[in-house]
Amino acid sequence: MLGSVSEAEDVAQEALLRLTRQEGAIDVPAAWMTTVVTRLSINVLKSARARRESYVGPWLPEPLVEDPAPGPASRAELADSLSLALLVLLERLTPVERAAYLLREVFGYEYAAIADIIDRTEVNSRQLVTRARKHLEANRPRFDADEAARDALLERFLAAAEEGDLQALEELLAKDAVLYADSGGKAMAPQEPLVGAALIARFMAAVAQVRPGSGEFETHLVRVNGQPGRLLRGPREPQYGEAERLAAEKTLALLKSGTSTRSSSPRS
């Protein structure tokens, strides 16, 4: 619902506190909790959207690193309902549409129950779910990648990124690939999406040149929101001031101008 592990924990804690403060009996505690959590989440989303409009750079859902040894059923459920791709698409829905869609499609609630939870009519709840479903399906990938092929591709990409191999990176990426980076405002990262294999490859190669050696990092292959990924833990990055920020912007501008010049040059 929130795309943020920390915000989800806050909402769950607040809901539990409200449950303990209830003086009267609650007939169905699970239903009561679902209603409270959903309504709290809608309120949090409304305020979060205002914050994200002034956010520096792209905002991405907070990654959820999976239990290293989950059961097959758990993995399938996580990959389907908590993928970063789905969470990004959910950001395009209104908070109430998002709640109605998740209650119906992920948790299987009847429309009458959804109407009670989000304080809408049953007809309106159906409309919200239908509208959300159409919007999401129109933007979903047309097919699921083969897991073995995807994992092998990731390993090749990570190796090329580690070495700063410009040619290998560009060959591995689709020509219209897009790179999104969300640093949380705490590290240096592009403040807008980078579009195109050539530009992304140059950026990744530049990162490999300036960052500390891999020996200073603790590296683990993990599953993030049901997808393969890599977790690096290392020295905390320094806080960057205005001079460093301007230098980073200049570097990105040079990368973009270099790509533009190369793409417009006549071929021999």
Side-chain angles (χ1 to χ4, degrees):
M1 184 68 187
L2 299 173
S4 165
V5 177
S6 58
E7 288 180 346
E9 289 174 343
D10 290 343
V11 165
Q13 184 177 14
E14 175 63 23
L16 286 170
L17 286 173
R18 294 190 182 194
L19 178 63
T20 61
R21 294 171 187 156
Q22 288 294 308
E23 296 181 356
I26 298 176
D27 295 333
V28 187
W32 186 93
M33 283 291 289
T34 300
T35 301
V36 171
V37 167
T38 301
R39 291 178 180 177
L40 286 173
S41 295
I42 289 173
N43 291 337
V44 170
L45 269 183
K46 289 178 179 178
S47 62
R49 291 207 162 181
R51 296 197 307 271
R52 289 167 192 167
E53 285 177 359
S54 59
Y55 188 80
V56 178
W59 183 90
L60 294 177
E62 185 179 343
L64 179 63
V65 179
E66 188 179 329
D67 183 333
S74 172
R75 275 188 58 179
E77 182 179 358
L78 182 68
D80 183 52
S81 39
L82 286 182
S83 70
L84 285 173
L86 176 60
L87 293 178
V88 168
L89 290 177
L90 288 175
E91 279 294 305
R92 302 177 185 178
L93 305 178
T94 68
V96 177
E97 283 177 340
R98 191 166 178 167
Y101 176 84
L102 292 174
L103 288 168
R104 178 65 181 175
E105 298 297 321
V106 177
F107 297 105
Y109 275 72
E110 297 297 330
Y111 287 107
I114 296 173
D116 288 338
I117 292 171
I118 64 175
D119 198 23
R120 296 290 194 279
T121 66
E122 186 173 343
V123 171
N124 187 232
S125 297
R126 285 180 180 274
Q127 292 173 340
L128 287 169
V129 173
T130 299
R131 188 160 61 237
R133 187 187 295 126
K134 288 181 179 179
H135 186 85
L136 294 180
E137 288 177 353
N139 292 278
R140 276 180 182 269
R142 292 187 296 274
F143 57 88
D144 292 326
D146 175 77
E147 283 199 23
R150 182 187 60 196
D151 291 356
L153 185 62
L154 174 67
E155 290 183 10
R156 291 170 59 196
F157 177 80
L158 292 176
E162 186 72 30
E163 296 296 326
D165 189 333
L166 186 64
Q167 181 177 350
L169 284 167
E170 190 167 346
E171 290 175 352
L172 285 167
L173 293 165
K175 296 300 181 185
D176 58 350
V178 183
L179 182 144
Y180 297 89
D182 181 357
S183 68
K186 300 176 182 177
M188 298 185 72
Q191 294 186 7
E192 58 186 40
L194 302 183
V195 181
L199 178 57
I200 296 172
R202 294 180 68 186
F203 172 75
M204 298 298 293
V207 169
Q209 293 176 2
V210 300
R211 74 182 182 195
S214 59
E216 298 184 33
F217 289 94
E218 179 185 346
T219 305
H220 299 286
L221 291 177
V222 295
R223 299 195 73 82
V224 183
N225 293 70
Q227 305 290 324
R230 182 172 67 167
L231 175 66
L232 286 86
R233 296 187 186 278
R236 182 182 296 275
E237 290 200 29
Q239 293 295 319
Y240 292 98
E242 183 67 11
E244 289 80 8
R245 184 186 66 79
L246 292 173
E249 290 180 354
K250 181 178 179 181
T251 300
L252 286 172
L254 289 172
L255 284 172
K256 292 181 180 180
S257 63
T259 301
S260 176
T261 299
R262 191 178 71 171
S263 63
S264 62
S265 298
R267 294 182 178 273
S268 58

